[in-house]
Amino acid sequence: MRTVLPAILVVALGSCGGAQVHELAELPGGAQAISLLGDTLYPVQAAAEVQQRREEQLAEAMSDHQIDPHDADALIWVGRRQAYLGNYRQAIHVYSQGIDEHPQDARMYRHRGHRYITLRMFDEAIADFQRAVELTAGQEDEVEPDGQPNALNIPTSTLQFNIWYHLGLAQYLKADFDAALSSYRECMRVSDNPDAIVATSHWLYMTLRRLGQVDEAAAVLDPITADMEIIENDAYHQLLLMYRGEISPDALLGPEEDAVQSATVAYGVGNWYYYNRDETRGMEIFRDVLAGEGWAAFGYIAAEAEVASAS
């Protein structure tokens, strides 16, 4: 259920650890964000067993943090576990505390920036990711552990990948496609496995199409093949195959239990219609995405941005 409230999210407080900190404005009980269309967004309840497991994981993370309050890893896991429960505002509070205590730890900015995107605070997200870029410049990349492990329990992303990936996303969501292109080019440099490659390629391709660089976009698809060994980013892989003409757009649209995957695929298909000059069909699909509940999914946020810009 969503109700309309004024879309005022943040009040600047000052600086902390070299990055501006913002206080989240009060919202109705349990509400997490105001959408780009002015709707109030509430956490989506997971299935009972999933909810229970996530609550237990949060309790464990908080216990670990209490044992060693100054451990950066323990604090990060509290923030991540809060976010997996839909407590995005609390997660941002946790990461802001982390920045205060560990101002040179790029991970704090990377994770807070991610959740700023969830709350539609794109400028704040960009500032955090840019700070993370500064802090990781010249450093060796590191694997980032998964909070919700894939079927093979093999992490597929790294810290620097996530910084560039989410920076590009925030810029894309603001329709700053030139900046997004630069970020996704950098992201591709640290995309070192098939899952990372298809994730980056998807957003890079869409960015180039939005810039009208059709030939450059086509070149992004050259390394993409149907037999790539994908562990978790199947949606991006299928969309890239669609861009190559190996799958029809409408073949990808259909019932999907996973709200994140559904929004991801639907946005990609809608965007394909949009930049192929069928804006009416594209906007129709974007609005269909918004009829779902997965408002924290990147595809949902992107569809929301498209509808808001057309309003």
Side-chain angles (χ1 to χ4, degrees), residues 104-156:
Q104 301 303 308
D105 192 330
R107 298 174 300 170
M108 300 296 179
Y109 297 91
R110 168 268 187 272
H111 285 291
R112 190 175 70 170
H114 182 169
R115 292 314 166 191
Y116 275 146
I117 291 177
T118 306
L119 300 195
R120 282 60 171 168
M121 298 167 64
F122 305 140
D123 288 333
E124 292 77 12
I126 289 169
D128 271 4
F129 293 127
Q130 288 175 335
R131 178 59 178 150
V133 167
E134 294 172 358
L135 290 170
T136 55
Q139 295 186 5
E140 185 176 348
D141 203 1
E142 59 186 78
V143 173
E144 189 169 273
D146 289 330
Q148 302 295 328
N150 55 52
L152 299 182
N153 196 23
I154 299 175
T156 61

Side-chain angles (χ1 to χ4, degrees), residues 268-295:
V269 173
N271 207 23
W272 184 88
Y273 279 109
Y274 192 88
Y275 52 64
N276 279 298
R277 300 184 180 181
D278 190 348
E279 296 183 8
T280 299
R281 176 59 175 149
M283 195 60 61
E284 180 182 89
I285 295 173
F286 296 152
R287 293 185 184 279
D288 286 344
V289 172
L290 301 189
E293 294 184 340
W295 62 263

Side-chain angles (χ1 to χ4, degrees), residues 73-294:
D73 289 295
L75 190 62
I76 287 172
W77 277 110
V78 172
R80 295 184 75 175
R81 296 305 183 192
Q82 288 282 14
Y84 297 145
L85 281 166
N87 302 326
Y88 305 113
R89 293 158 66 87
Q90 184 60 29
I92 286 176
H93 174 76
V94 169
Y95 298 134
S96 294
Q97 176 185 340
I99 288 171
D100 187 40
E101 297 177 1
H102 309 277
Q104 301 303 308
D105 192 330
R107 298 174 300 170
M108 300 296 179
Y109 297 91
R110 168 268 187 272
H111 285 291
R112 190 175 70 170
H114 182 169
R115 292 314 166 191
Y116 275 146
I117 291 177
T118 306
L119 300 195
R120 282 60 171 168
M121 298 167 64
F122 305 140
D123 288 333
E124 292 77 12
I126 289 169
D128 271 4
F129 293 127
Q130 288 175 335
R131 178 59 178 150
V133 167
E134 294 172 358
L135 290 170
T136 55
Q139 295 186 5
E140 185 176 348
D141 203 1
E142 59 186 78
V143 173
E144 189 169 273
D146 289 330
Q148 302 295 328
N150 55 52
L152 299 182
N153 196 23
I154 299 175
T156 61
S157 65
T158 65
L159 174 60
Q160 292 184 30
F161 167 87
N162 278 314
I163 292 169
W164 286 113
Y165 180 84
H166 291 92
L167 174 57
L169 175 63
Q171 293 161 333
Y172 180 98
L173 292 169
K174 289 194 64 177
D176 188 352
F177 299 121
D178 287 317
L181 176 60
S182 177
S183 294
Y184 283 125
R185 293 288 192 201
E186 291 297 326
C187 189
M188 190 60 78
R189 296 177 188 273
V190 290
S191 297
D192 60 359
N193 63 68
D195 277 87
I197 289 169
V198 297
T200 305
S201 296
H202 166 71
W203 290 99
L204 177 58
Y205 177 87
M206 292 197 303
T207 299
L208 287 164
R209 290 301 306 264
R210 284 303 183 96
L211 288 169
Q213 299 181 28
V214 178
D215 291 341
E216 291 85 346
V220 172
L221 303 178
D222 287 343
I224 306 301
T225 61
D227 60 355
M228 295 176 74
E229 295 184 4
I230 304 299
I231 298 175
E232 60 184 71
N233 286 329
D234 294 301
Y236 288 146
H237 185 217
Q238 292 294 301
L239 284 165
L240 290 166
L241 294 176
M242 184 197 80
Y243 304 150
R244 286 174 58 90
E246 298 179 24
I247 300 176
S248 70
D250 288 339
L252 292 183
L253 296 178
E256 173 61 67
E257 294 181 2
D258 188 326
V260 173
Q261 294 283 46
S262 178
T264 298
V265 170
Y267 175 72
V269 173
N271 207 23
W272 184 88
Y273 279 109
Y274 192 88
Y275 52 64
N276 279 298
R277 300 184 180 181
D278 190 348
E279 296 183 8
T280 299
R281 176 59 175 149
M283 195 60 61
E284 180 182 89
I285 295 173
F286 296 152
R287 293 185 184 279
D288 286 344
V289 172
L290 301 189
E293 294 184 340

